[in-house]
Amino acid sequence: MYLKKLNILNFKNLEDKNFEFNEKINCFVGLNGVGKTNILDAIYYMAYGRSYFNPIALQNIRHGSDFFVIDASFVNDDKEENIICSLKKGQKKVLKRNGKNYDRFSDHFGLIPLVIISPSDRDLIIEGSETRRKFLDSVISQMDSNYLQLLIQYQKLITHRNALLKAFAQQQYFDSITLEIYNEQIEQLAQPIYQKRKDFIEQFVPIFDYYHKLITNNVDDVQLVYESQLHLKTMQELFVENLAKDKALQYTSVGIHKDDLSFELIGHPIKKFGSQGQQKSFLIALKLAQFDFLKKQKGVAPILLFDDIFDKLDEQRVRKILELVNIDTFGQLFISDTHIERTENLLKSINKDFKIYKISSDEE
């Protein structure tokens, strides 16, 4: 699969940009702030129906405009797929495939396999468990649409259960029968979600270990660990044991919505004990493992976005990644960089077709 054409109108700081892409490597070069990362984000939008960097959709509309439109043409097995996403102030976001509106955005998830590597990935280390769960769920959902529907249903039930707990506190009464109905429904969803996460991690960790050793020459001892309350107890047991706590807090304190991924260096949190270089290596290995896993599951190389990668990595890591490109591990690549000479020299060294786009501000 590859992205053939991209048209961007009023997205972030991009007023009107149109591109026809090389099937292998495309690089956006220009000064900081001209919109290179925003072009990558527009491509990401076509795969996920949302921004990688700003989840508030309205804030992705260019300042002074009332709407944005992103129009892309992908080619998969000689078949062209046209994806359009648009948003107008005061209206719902619209996502279309080949001229037909999606009833549910979740139905689009997984059609365009795509992985992004960005400095913003550090949020996976420094932010809370929700950020890591989103990464986990995103990878699984790209290959398993049923999993995404389970998650949506589960979250709705948790929201209803939380509202019920809050009503109990406000109205000073308790209805154990109604609460038990929610408990049973939640348990029926939690177990298969937990099992899918557990199975995924068992497959994913060896791939992650491979890429981490490749990038670091097997220097650091790191672990990727799935943490869940369901390792030891059922949802029903957790609900019974934490009923008093949930009533006091007025929300559901246990369940798979509390799961986490632990990033460890020699058995300790890499957030506290890892250097910046060690953290970068961990994150790059994580994203390359995501790429590899999706490629094996989908049977096609995902589109890969490298945001500002050459500025953030030392020469050894860049060389390792370019070696992977050179053996056709990757499919289509998009790269942003600030130095055109560096970019040209690096790309020429891998002997692959590439195209460079000089990006300047729309105000210039």
Side-chain angles (χ1 to χ4, degrees):
M1 173 174 286
Y2 68 92
L3 175 57
K4 183 179 179 181
K5 296 179 182 178
L6 181 69
N7 303 312
I8 305 170
L9 187 63
N10 296 331
F11 181 72
K12 297 191 171 181
N13 74 331
L14 304 170
E15 182 177 7
D16 189 2
K17 296 289 186 184
N18 303 283
F19 302 96
E20 291 193 15
F21 293 122
N22 185 288
E23 292 183 27
K24 289 301 296 182
I25 303 175
N26 301 272
C27 189
F28 307 108
V29 295
L31 300 175
N32 288 323
V34 296
K36 302 185 302 297
T37 295
N38 293 339
I39 297 170
L40 296 183
D41 199 25
I43 298 172
Y44 182 91
Y45 224 112
M46 295 292 90
Y48 291 89
R50 57 181 171 81
S51 167
Y52 185 71
F53 301 98
N54 190 344
I56 303 173
L58 282 173
Q59 292 181 4
N60 293 312
I61 297 176
R62 185 172 177 267
H63 182 68
S65 301
D66 294 324
F67 69 95
F68 76 71
V69 179
I70 309 171
D71 183 345
S73 294
F74 296 86
V75 177
N76 187 20
D77 291 332
D78 297 324
K79 180 183 178 183
E80 194 157 321
E81 297 274 3
N82 177 243
I83 308 298
I84 298 177
C85 189
S86 62
L87 176 65
K88 188 174 183 178
K89 290 180 179 178
Q91 298 182 14
K92 289 186 177 180
K93 185 163 55 180
V94 176
L95 184 64
K96 294 182 180 182
R97 176 186 178 188
N98 299 326
K100 185 177 179 180
N101 285 27
Y102 278 102
D103 294 326
R104 303 180 304 182
F105 276 30
S106 58
D107 291 339
H108 179 67
F109 216 77
L111 177 69
I112 311 294
L114 180 147
V115 175
I116 184 170
I117 299 179
S118 164
S120 298
D121 295 337
R122 190 163 181 268
D123 288 349
L124 287 166
I125 289 177
I126 64 176
E127 297 293 337
S129 61
E130 182 181 1
T131 303
R132 291 179 288 278
R133 275 196 310 277
K134 284 182 178 178
F135 168 78
L136 175 65
D137 291 336
S138 174
V139 181
I140 301 174
S141 295
Q142 278 203 298
M143 64 169 186
D144 187 345
S145 59
N146 182 57
Y147 175 80
L148 182 56
Q149 296 307 318
L150 290 175
L151 280 176
I152 292 170
Q153 294 172 43
Y154 176 89
Q155 194 54 55
K156 285 181 179 177
L157 287 171
I158 290 295
T159 300
H160 290 319
R161 188 178 189 270
N162 290 346
L164 190 64
L165 290 167
K166 190 172 183 178
F168 290 160
Q170 291 176 341
Q171 301 175 27
Q172 296 185 341
Y173 81 102
F174 178 68
D175 181 356
S176 62
I177 295 176
T178 303
L179 189 65
E180 185 59 33
I181 292 172
Y182 280 114
N183 291 355
E184 290 175 359
Q185 292 177 329
I186 290 169
E187 183 173 27
Q188 290 173 5
L189 294 170
Q191 186 57 40
I193 292 171
Y194 163 73
Q195 192 60 51
K196 286 176 183 286
R197 286 176 175 175
K198 187 170 179 288
D199 292 344
F200 164 73
I201 290 297
E202 288 175 358
Q203 299 174 61
F204 188 77
V205 165
I207 304 172
F208 165 77
D209 288 341
Y210 165 78
Y211 279 104
H212 191 270
K213 290 175 182 177
L214 187 69
I215 294 168
T216 64
N217 289 322
N218 202 19
V219 172
D220 299 322
D221 178 17
V222 297
Q223 298 84 35
L224 175 61
V225 181
Y226 173 39
E227 296 181 345
S228 177
Q229 297 165 328
L230 268 69
H231 285 338
L232 301 175
K233 296 180 180 179
T234 66
M235 277 299 304
Q236 189 59 36
E237 289 171 333
L238 291 169
F239 279 144
V240 170
E241 291 178 9
N242 292 273
L243 177 58
K245 180 181 178 182
D246 285 0
K247 288 168 68 176
L249 294 173
Q250 300 176 36
Y251 65 80
T252 307
S253 63
V254 292
I256 55 96
H257 59 291
K258 298 295 182 181
D259 286 359
D260 199 356
L261 292 176
S262 180
F263 298 165
E264 299 177 0
L265 175 67
I266 319 177
H268 300 287
I270 199 167
K271 176 181 178 180
K272 294 182 178 179
F273 294 92
S275 66
Q276 286 192 3
Q278 288 169 324
Q279 291 181 7
K280 287 177 185 176
S281 295
F282 192 102
L283 291 170
I284 294 166
L286 190 73
K287 289 304 191 80
L288 291 178
Q290 176 189 1
F291 173 92
D292 195 306
F293 182 82
L294 289 175
K295 181 181 177 181
K296 290 174 180 176
Q297 294 293 323
K298 293 283 188 179
V300 61
I303 294 170
L304 185 57
L305 312 181
F306 283 150
D307 179 28
D308 210 12
I309 190 168
F310 299 138
D311 267 347
K312 306 303 178 184
L313 299 178
D314 59 39
E315 185 177 340
Q316 179 183 348
R317 292 192 188 96
V318 172
R319 189 182 298 114
K320 289 288 185 182
I321 292 172
L322 291 179
E323 286 173 4
L324 295 174
V325 177
N326 208 28
I327 60 174
D328 288 324
T329 298
F330 297 148
Q332 189 180 30
L333 277 74
F334 292 88
I335 302 168
S336 69
D337 194 15
T338 53
H339 298 90
I340 188 168
E341 296 83 3
R342 173 177 59 188
T343 302
E344 284 184 320
N345 291 336
L346 285 167
L347 295 180
K348 286 177 181 177
S349 71
I350 62 174
N351 196 30
K352 295 289 180 184
D353 288 339
F354 65 89
K355 193 171 181 179
I356 292 180
Y357 305 84
K358 297 179 182 179
I359 308 300
S360 59
S361 171
D362 282 323
E363 281 73 32
E364 291 179 7

